[in-house]
């Protein structure tokens, strides 16, 4: 699946959550989607957990 299709599915999920569950459900779905994205990138090896917690000055070296 390409990124456009995944983005469309995520947008539809957020739209359904916002319509049927209100703004709180919309925020919950968005937050859990972001967490799922980060975990997925970590499991695929595209993200190093140290990159998240490393100080900004350490990234330039």
């Amino acid at each position: 699946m390409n990124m456009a299709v995944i983005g469309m599915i995520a947008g539809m999920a957020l739209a359904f959550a916002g319509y049927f569950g209100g703004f709180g459900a919309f925020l919950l779905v968005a937050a859990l989607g972001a967490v799922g994205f980060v975990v997925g990138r970590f499991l695929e090896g595209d993200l190093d957990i140290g990159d998240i917690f490393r100080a900004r000055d350490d990234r330039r070296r």
Side-chain angles (χ1 to χ4, degrees):
M1 239 191 289
N2 63 16
M3 293 303 289
V5 174
I6 292 171
M8 180 188 68
I9 292 170
M12 290 174 63
L14 287 172
F16 279 114
Y19 183 77
F20 292 111
F23 189 68
F26 172 81
L27 290 179
L28 179 65
V29 170
L32 291 176
V35 169
F37 175 76
V38 170
V39 169
R41 294 287 303 248
F42 175 72
L43 292 176
E44 286 181 354
D46 293 336
L47 179 69
D48 184 20
I49 199 73
D51 291 341
I52 297 172
F53 298 110
R54 192 172 302 140
R56 182 176 212 150
D57 295 335
D58 293 341
R59 292 181 190 165
R60 293 186 210 168
R61 296 179 188 166

